[in-house]
Amino acid sequence: MPSLRALLSRRLRALRAMAMGSGSMGSMGSMGSGSMGSKREPVLSPSSMNAAIRRVQYAVRGPIVTRALELEQELRQGVPKPFKEVIKANIGDAHAMGQKPITFLRQVSALCLFPPLLSDPSFPEDAKARARRLLAACAGQSVGSYSASPGLDVVRADVAQFLQRRDGIPADPNHIFLSSGASEAIVTMLKLLVWGSGRSRTGVLVPLPQYPLYSAALAELEAERLSYSLAEDRAWALDLPELRRALKEGRGHCCPRVLCVINPGNPTGQVQSRECIEEVIKFAYEERLFLMADEVYQDNIYGEGCEFHAFRKVLAQMGPPYSDTVELASFHSLSKGFMGECGFRGGFMEVRNLHPEVLQELSKLVSVRLCPPVPGQILMGALLNPPEPGEPSHQQYQEEKAAVLRALAERARLTEQLLNKIPGIRCNPVQGAMYAFPSIQLPPRACAAAQAAGQPPDLFFCLRLLEGTGICLVPGSGFGQREGTFHFRMTILPPTEKLQLLLEKLGNFYTNFVKEYS
Amino acid sequence: MPSLRALLSRRLRALRAMAMGSGSMGSMGSMGSGSMGSKREPVLSPSSMNAAIRRVQYAVRGPIVTRALELEQELRQGVPKPFKEVIKANIGDAHAMGQKPITFLRQVSALCLFPPLLSDPSFPEDAKARARRLLAACAGQSVGSYSASPGLDVVRADVAQFLQRRDGIPADPNHIFLSSGASEAIVTMLKLLVWGSGRSRTGVLVPLPQYPLYSAALAELEAERLSYSLAEDRAWALDLPELRRALKEGRGHCCPRVLCVINPGNPTGQVQSRECIEEVIKFAYEERLFLMADEVYQDNIYGEGCEFHAFRKVLAQMGPPYSDTVELASFHSLSKGFMGECGFRGGFMEVRNLHPEVLQELSKLVSVRLCPPVPGQILMGALLNPPEPGEPSHQQYQEEKAAVLRALAERARLTEQLLNKIPGIRCNPVQGAMYAFPSIQLPPRACAAAQAAGQPPDLFFCLRLLEGTGICLVPGSGFGQREGTFHFRMTILPPTEKLQLLLEKLGNFYTNFVKEYS
């Protein structure tokens, strides 16, 4: 009975807060608290803060990253370590791993930020044309002005054209919302969807393993997370019977209303087949679920025979009753793909079949944060209007883009191959995205040592690995995994040579670790 | 009994949702809903969405702005109107009103976004030095990589030094969090502070009139807003007895734990005296309230004898028990001041006397959104390291900055003077910030007409003004005002000539409006 427990714990917190004097006890505080000395209990303490926030966890930037940052500082201070640098394979941050920005995108950005460059002959004309168009769309012709809350009109129109080009399905610019990375749009959509308590509390179906933005946002919004396990033995495929099981179980104690799908998968790297997407859409239709499709890795496809199919495309092609009924929000980002521009915090969402009044509510809600960062919108505008054949930047743009995608595909294969050479580690094909998520066997004595240290066994291993080699991975427990199995997520982003070295060190460390605890 | 009412309305919503089939009614949906036809009730409808979001209002971008955008479109399409352009005096967006960016800030930004410019001799050396330092602090030397979640270390250190320089009070970089505009940081802090329901629900003291970010965020978080009226007859001064009244009243039905102060005031433009700030701090100490100081207009001070005093400075100078007890978060932004770079979404918050574990929770919470937009962080870094005397950009920087601040001071005075010449309108001195918030008398027949149209009288007036003149203002009801009084907020940002014209048109329209309804 989770609702009763939650109610009781709230009650207790309230009583505690009142006992601390911040409750409705009149003006007792003003009567003489000055004499209590300055070290009284603060207003905002671990026990008096919003408990929902305390329950939020975010492994990608969790304790392991805190320790990695400390180690970097210690290295800078000359503290001797068994390694010379910390390799952060914990986060999909391509530029941090040495990937160079796409020249054209940055040229357009620089031109918009400092328009006197428009008369600099060293900038190509196609970049200048894009910059002039984008600047003309900014109020006062400055990226320093607020845009409309859902984003610059021209960029929303660009997104609509991009979606039409990609899928052969028209898009309405009024159903497109630019955002500060995909994360912001995902949370915004969840805010509309999540409410209630007890049996009417909104349940949200989320894959397991999942990207921890979902668990964090659901904890904060006090929604019920309903996990459906991906099939590790079928390359992390989405399994319909398992989805049904999770839904049925959820209906026992909450009100499931949302189904989140990550395709290509994060952290699991699987690419969904078209058939699977159709099944998911039918399921959402039959079970009356709002669909959220996280498609930020759509440009990162490496698996043979794998192809990206957008949920919006499949939905539209399925025709009625699906195409005009199933409510869908799909998400994209500047942070991944071949551009990897995480720092700009650019992204967008398209909504389909949204109730017109809900669309208005969504517009109102995004207006409170005024507008998404304009430099990110500008970069999005440049990305969606790449140099055409015959334009001066076309060849370089194509070459830079192809080189990045080729390198990523190579590293995806290399990572899978080398991981599978380590006895005790088993890695599915990295069909897409930017991560490997191998399973790892940990000896019972290592698990016992982890328990003694108060850590999940895979966190214990990852922390030991970090201290011993400088390699920073994220333990599988941060994403969720079937009980009794252990994993870690590592990015495929380090340059090929470094990646090889990293995997070699990892293999050696793991082998010794297993010996030590056998 | 608001809690019972809230409970009942939730219950009703839950029942409604269940009746619609999205409740815990097992798999009824899958049994035959396909035959229900495609126009069934959506999952997410006005009645099944999160009701807290429905209660959110945000006047600065509300219906009046929607109509202004429509009018702009109609003008572009050649629809005849009694005006040639829409003048958006509704929002503090300096660049949109023609203010030019500060050259040095944009040079540093462009250099960071497109580093090949570092070898361009037309860029000054001081801008290049700032850019090199900032780039070196970015992972992979790219603004496209994620920064640490609380922001780039060097920029946090810059903020700490800026605060020390400004106030003579040291700051700890670890207590500084960069953000996506001040808005994001304010909402983040409120998320930690707000919880509970019924009598233990967090109450937040907010000025009346207030900036609607506060009411919007509190509605979304389901906190109790406790309004304390500013004293219009004393130039919108903060009134301690009124603050006490609001607190006492709040203690009757919720748990007041937070006090928000906006200084300089928005929309009211008052600048708080040092004595008043001391009184507020004592009040917060005695009543055990967490202090939030919104100081984004600190560079915009025009009133004679007015001076900005940071809450953190006054708090530190008051000594114990205040200085080491009162919990304070204060906020600043790139969007206002003399730079007016709203589109970059840059800002920061400093926290004082925060419980160490709460500081950790705050760090965790901001990590979920990964990082603030890096271009905004870069601009912040440039702003806090302006050209020094003897550096090549020094003179131009000082001139540009002084020109903007001079123009704003002139427009503040002009706005006040011209508004006060209109019979029926009364405007307090615009001591600071970017707005005038005059009171306006509306004839009883106009109020009756507004009621018939289902609009607050001041919205009715502002909509009529917009349709008749193209001038876009925000009605006072969007900020809150004492019952029976009416106001509007207008920015002082239009260029002086345009501002004069605007005020003249406004005066004429208002005079005719009064005649029409007398």
Side-chain angles (χ1 to χ4, degrees):
Chain A
M1 286 191 287
S3 68
L4 185 63
R5 208 183 303 152
L7 214 69
L8 273 173
S9 95
R10 282 188 192 193
R11 240 340 100 129
L12 275 169
R13 273 200 305 162
L15 285 168
R16 228 175 332 169
M18 280 170 65
M20 279 158 44
S22 60
S24 43
M25 300 175 73
S27 54
M28 193 193 105
S30 64
M31 280 163 60
S33 57
S35 62
M36 287 167 68
S38 61
K39 281 303 142 214
R40 60 186 188 180
E41 182 78 4
V43 177
L44 186 61
S45 73
S47 61
S48 71
M49 67 176 277
N50 181 355
I53 301 294
R54 277 184 80 81
R55 285 189 292 267
V56 168
Q57 293 203 329
Y58 196 65
V60 176
R61 297 221 155 183
I64 195 117
V65 182
T66 309
R67 183 63 193 138
L69 292 173
E70 283 169 9
L71 284 172
E72 278 186 330
Q73 192 134 28
E74 290 174 22
L75 280 175
R76 274 195 298 271
Q77 290 161 352
V79 180
K81 295 280 165 198
F83 49 86
K84 283 196 183 119
E85 64 166 335
V86 174
I87 305 177
K88 290 199 206 119
N90 60 298
I91 190 163
D93 189 352
H95 290 203
M97 284 288 120
Q99 184 183 308
K100 293 284 159 266
I102 304 291
T103 305
F104 178 79
L105 301 180
R106 292 298 191 87
Q107 283 172 328
V108 176
S109 300
L111 286 161
C112 288
L113 260 70
F114 194 58
L117 289 172
L118 284 165
S119 54
D120 182 334
S122 72
F123 279 77
E125 279 308 316
D126 45 3
K128 287 182 184 172
R130 305 303 187 279
R132 281 196 199 95
R133 173 174 172 270
L134 289 163
L135 274 177
C138 295
Q141 303 236 6
S142 170
V143 298
S145 55
Y146 291 117
S147 75
S149 298
L152 291 165
D153 281 347
V154 294
V155 181
R156 293 168 85 197
D158 288 345
V159 171
Q161 275 172 25
F162 159 75
L163 294 176
Q164 158 120 42
R165 234 171 21 236
R166 187 192 68 188
D167 302 327
I169 306 291
D172 180 344
N174 293 314
H175 298 168
I176 287 159
F177 292 79
L178 303 185
S179 58
S180 184
S183 301
E184 188 203 35
I186 291 168
V187 173
T188 301
M189 210 58 234
L190 287 171
K191 278 184 189 173
L192 290 171
L193 284 158
V194 168
W195 57 275
S197 57
R199 284 178 69 93
S200 70
R201 192 183 188 191
T202 299
V204 181
L205 287 153
V206 170
L208 183 106
Q210 53 105 30
Y211 177 58
L213 167 68
Y214 292 94
S215 48
L218 297 179
E220 187 186 322
L221 299 171
E222 305 196 63
E224 193 73 30
R225 173 155 64 112
L226 306 171
S227 292
Y228 60 93
S229 291
L230 302 173
E232 182 162 15
D233 54 357
R234 291 191 289 122
W236 297 113
L238 193 155
D239 182 49
L240 257 287
E242 164 63 9
L243 201 51
R244 275 185 224 289
R245 180 209 58 76
L247 178 71
K248 197 175 166 197
E249 203 176 296
R251 287 213 166 116
H253 64 277
C254 69
C255 179
R257 306 205 302 141
V258 191
L259 167 55
C260 297
V261 180
I262 312 176
N263 176 48
N266 175 7
T268 39
Q270 83 285 9
V271 176
Q272 267 183 284
S273 70
R274 197 197 151 91
E275 294 66 42
C276 179
I277 293 172
E278 278 191 22
E279 283 180 354
V280 169
I281 290 173
K282 282 184 187 161
F283 176 78
Y285 174 78
E286 287 161 4
E287 303 294 349
R288 304 183 65 73
L289 297 168
F290 190 104
L291 255 178
M292 290 178 55
D294 178 340
E295 303 176 328
V296 302
Y297 293 100
Q298 59 188 261
D299 290 327
N300 301 100
I301 310 276
Y302 322 113
E304 238 173 273
C306 290
E307 199 184 333
F308 170 70
H309 298 281
F311 266 80
R312 67 183 295 282
K313 176 187 78 175
V314 179
L315 176 61
Q317 289 175 349
M318 284 168 74
Y322 308 105
S323 58
D324 56 0
T325 308
V326 174
E327 296 150 81
L328 168 69
S330 53
F331 306 92
H332 197 14
S333 165
L334 280 180
S335 304
K336 312 300 170 185
F338 59 93
M339 50 287 178
E341 296 278 14
C342 314
F344 281 76
R345 312 309 300 120
F348 69 79
M349 124 174 107
E350 188 217 25
V351 292
R352 296 185 82 79
N353 294 322
L354 207 63
H355 189 291
E357 275 182 57
V358 175
L359 192 68
Q360 278 177 26
E361 293 289 334
L362 175 57
S363 302
K364 179 190 74 182
L365 183 59
V366 298
S367 77
V368 178
R369 60 95 167 94
L370 294 161
C371 73
V374 176
Q377 298 187 49
I378 293 291
L379 202 73
M380 183 68 82
L383 177 73
L384 300 180
N385 290 285
E388 303 288 330
E391 288 193 308
S393 308
H394 181 257
Q395 196 186 339
Q396 187 184 356
Y397 184 85
Q398 293 299 331
E399 284 172 5
E400 289 179 357
K401 174 177 169 177
V404 170
L405 291 175
R406 202 166 45 232
L408 289 175
E410 180 188 290
R411 291 169 201 165
R413 270 186 291 274
L414 185 74
T415 305
E416 178 202 338
Q417 280 167 12
L418 294 186
L419 281 172
N420 280 325
K421 281 191 184 159
I422 308 171
I425 292 185
R426 208 197 137 273
C427 184
N428 270 319
V430 181
Q431 296 175 341
M434 293 181 167
Y435 316 97
F437 194 71
S439 74
I440 172 169
Q441 285 173 25
L442 295 176
R445 279 189 54 225
C447 296
Q451 202 178 2
Q455 292 163 357
D458 49 8
L459 173 60
F460 179 77
F461 170 74
C462 287
L463 279 170
R464 288 284 309 273
L465 177 74
L466 175 64
E467 299 288 345
T469 65
I471 299 171
C472 181
L473 308 177
V474 190
S477 48
F479 304 92
Q481 53 201 352
R482 274 186 193 272
E483 214 174 299
T485 70
F486 304 111
H487 300 77
F488 58 78
R489 187 185 85 164
M490 69 169 280
T491 69
I492 58 166
L493 295 173
T496 307
E497 258 179 61
K498 210 181 223 178
L499 186 64
Q500 256 166 328
L501 202 71
L502 183 158
L503 288 162
E504 203 177 295
K505 278 170 96 173
L506 170 63
N508 292 339
F509 182 89
Y510 172 67
T511 308
N512 288 330
F513 180 87
V514 170
K515 265 190 216 147
E516 184 185 339
Y517 286 100
S518 288
Chain B
M1 288 194 285
S3 70
L4 185 63
R5 208 182 304 152
L7 213 68
L8 273 172
S9 94
R10 282 188 192 193
R11 239 342 99 128
L12 276 169
R13 271 199 307 161
L15 285 168
R16 227 176 328 170
M18 281 169 66
M20 279 159 42
S22 60
S24 43
M25 300 175 74
S27 54
M28 194 194 104
S30 65
M31 280 162 59
S33 57
S35 62
M36 286 168 69
S38 62
K39 281 302 143 217
R40 61 186 186 179
E41 181 79 5
V43 178
L44 186 61
S45 73
S47 61
S48 70
M49 67 176 278
N50 180 355
I53 301 294
R54 277 184 79 83
R55 285 189 292 267
V56 167
Q57 293 202 330
Y58 196 66
V60 175
R61 297 222 155 184
I64 195 117
V65 182
T66 309
R67 184 61 194 139
L69 292 173
E70 283 168 10
L71 284 172
E72 278 187 330
Q73 192 134 28
E74 290 175 22
L75 280 175
R76 275 195 299 270
Q77 290 161 352
V79 180
K81 296 280 165 198
F83 48 88
K84 281 194 184 124
E85 63 166 335
V86 174
I87 305 177
K88 290 199 208 120
N90 60 299
I91 190 162
D93 188 353
H95 290 204
M97 285 288 120
Q99 184 182 310
K100 293 285 159 266
I102 304 290
T103 305
F104 178 79
L105 301 181
R106 292 299 190 88
Q107 283 172 327
V108 176
S109 299
L111 287 161
C112 288
L113 260 70
F114 194 57
L117 290 172
L118 284 165
S119 53
D120 182 335
S122 72
F123 278 77
E125 280 309 317
D126 45 3
K128 288 182 184 171
R130 305 304 187 280
R132 281 197 199 93
R133 172 173 172 271
L134 290 164
L135 275 177
C138 295
Q141 303 236 7
S142 169
V143 298
S145 56
Y146 292 116
S147 74
S149 298
L152 292 164
D153 280 347
V154 295
V155 181
R156 293 169 85 198
D158 288 345
V159 172
Q161 275 171 24
F162 159 74
L163 294 177
Q164 157 121 40
R165 232 169 26 234
R166 187 192 67 189
D167 302 327
I169 307 291
D172 181 344
N174 293 314
H175 296 167
I176 288 159
F177 293 79
L178 303 185
S179 58
S180 184
S183 301
E184 188 203 33
I186 291 169
V187 173
T188 301
M189 210 57 234
L190 286 171
K191 279 183 188 173
L192 289 171
L193 283 158
V194 168
W195 58 274
S197 58
R199 285 178 68 92
S200 71
R201 190 182 190 195
T202 299
V204 180
L205 288 153
V206 168
L208 184 106
Q210 53 106 29
Y211 177 56
L213 166 68
Y214 292 94
S215 48
L218 296 179
E220 187 187 322
L221 299 171
E222 307 198 63
E224 192 73 30
R225 172 155 64 112
L226 306 171
S227 292
Y228 60 92
S229 291
L230 302 173
E232 182 164 15
D233 54 357
R234 290 191 289 123
W236 297 113
L238 194 156
D239 181 50
L240 258 287
E242 163 63 8
L243 200 53
R244 274 185 224 290
R245 180 208 58 77
L247 178 72
K248 196 174 166 197
E249 203 175 295
R251 287 214 166 116
H253 64 278
C254 70
C255 179
R257 304 205 302 141
V258 190
L259 167 54
C260 297
V261 179
I262 312 174
N263 177 48
N266 176 7
T268 38
Q270 82 284 10
V271 176
Q272 268 184 284
S273 70
R274 197 196 149 92
E275 294 66 43
C276 178
I277 293 173
E278 278 191 22
E279 283 179 356
V280 169
I281 290 172
K282 281 184 186 162
F283 177 77
Y285 173 78
E286 286 161 5
E287 303 294 349
R288 303 183 66 74
L289 297 167
F290 190 104
L291 254 178
M292 291 178 55
D294 178 341
E295 302 175 331
V296 302
Y297 293 101
Q298 58 189 263
D299 290 327
N300 302 99
I301 309 275
Y302 322 112
E304 239 173 273
C306 289
E307 199 185 331
F308 171 70
H309 299 282
F311 266 79
R312 67 182 295 280
K313 177 187 79 175
V314 178
L315 175 61
Q317 289 175 347
M318 283 167 76
Y322 308 105
S323 59
D324 56 0
T325 308
V326 174
E327 297 150 80
L328 168 69
S330 53
F331 306 92
H332 197 15
S333 165
L334 280 180
S335 304
K336 312 299 169 187
F338 60 94
M339 50 288 177
E341 295 279 13
C342 315
F344 280 76
R345 314 306 302 120
F348 68 79
M349 122 174 109
E350 189 218 24
V351 292
R352 296 185 83 80
N353 294 321
L354 208 62
H355 189 290
E357 276 183 57
V358 175
L359 191 68
Q360 278 177 26
E361 293 289 334
L362 175 57
S363 302
K364 180 189 73 181
L365 183 59
V366 299
S367 77
V368 179
R369 60 96 166 94
L370 295 161
C371 73
V374 176
Q377 298 187 49
I378 293 290
L379 202 73
M380 183 68 81
L383 177 73
L384 300 179
N385 290 285
E388 302 288 330
E391 288 193 309
S393 308
H394 182 257
Q395 196 186 341
Q396 188 184 357
Y397 185 86
Q398 292 300 330
E399 283 171 6
E400 289 178 359
K401 174 177 169 177
V404 170
L405 291 175
R406 202 166 45 230
L408 289 175
E410 179 188 290
R411 290 169 202 165
R413 269 186 292 274
L414 185 74
T415 306
E416 179 202 338
Q417 279 168 12
L418 294 187
L419 282 172
N420 280 325
K421 281 189 183 160
I422 308 171
I425 292 185
R426 209 197 135 272
C427 184
N428 269 320
V430 182
Q431 296 174 342
M434 292 180 167
Y435 315 99
F437 194 71
S439 74
I440 171 169
Q441 286 174 25
L442 295 176
R445 280 189 55 224
C447 297
Q451 200 177 3
Q455 292 163 356
D458 48 9
L459 173 61
F460 179 78
F461 170 74
C462 287
L463 278 170
R464 288 285 310 272
L465 177 74
L466 175 64
E467 299 287 344
T469 64
I471 298 170
C472 181
L473 308 177
V474 190
S477 48
F479 304 91
Q481 52 201 351
R482 273 186 193 272
E483 215 175 296
T485 69
F486 304 111
H487 300 78
F488 57 78
R489 186 185 85 163
M490 68 169 280
T491 69
I492 58 165
L493 294 173
T496 307
E497 258 179 61
K498 211 182 223 180
L499 187 63
Q500 256 166 327
L501 203 69
L502 182 159
L503 288 162
E504 204 176 295
K505 278 170 94 174
L506 170 63
N508 292 339
F509 183 89
Y510 172 69
T511 309
N512 289 330
F513 179 88
V514 171
K515 265 189 214 147
E516 184 186 340
Y517 286 100
S518 289

